[in-house]
Amino acid sequence: MVKFSKEDFERWSDFRSEPKSTLQTNEFELICQLHAKYYNHKYHKPCTCNPKKIKLWIKELNIIWNNGVEKN
């Protein structure tokens, strides 16, 4: 089961704390960075013309967030 590091868990918790209908640039970057890190793929930014992929990534990152924080 994949879990966030403490720092990433806190960053994702901050992101989740406010419901939103649009993303700021820094939030989009955060999603791209964390998804690449935790889903083992090369960092890239999906096209913003179709939000389907980024919404999927948010959903997948929420699954990891629900798993909690990794213990060292």
Side-chain angles (χ1 to χ4, degrees):
M1 175 184 328
V2 178
K3 295 184 179 187
F4 278 134
S5 68
K6 184 176 183 196
E7 179 185 347
D8 290 341
F9 184 86
E10 290 171 4
R11 292 168 64 202
W12 194 248
S13 295
D14 288 344
F15 170 80
R16 288 174 45 105
S17 68
E18 294 180 35
K20 53 193 72 78
S21 58
T22 60
L23 293 173
Q24 301 297 319
T25 303
N26 63 326
E27 293 170 329
F28 184 70
E29 290 279 339
L30 175 66
I31 294 163
C32 296
Q33 290 169 359
L34 291 179
H35 199 275
K37 178 177 180 179
Y38 289 96
Y39 283 90
N40 289 331
H41 62 79
K42 189 175 176 181
Y43 172 85
H44 75 280
K45 297 179 188 177
C47 178
T48 57
C49 61
N50 183 350
K52 237 181 190 175
K53 182 171 259 187
I54 203 72
K55 285 181 178 184
L56 174 64
W57 284 9
I58 291 169
K59 184 178 177 181
E60 290 174 342
L61 289 168
N62 282 334
I63 291 169
I64 295 176
W65 185 83
N66 287 332
N67 291 340
V69 179
E70 67 183 16
K71 303 217 182 327
N72 292 339

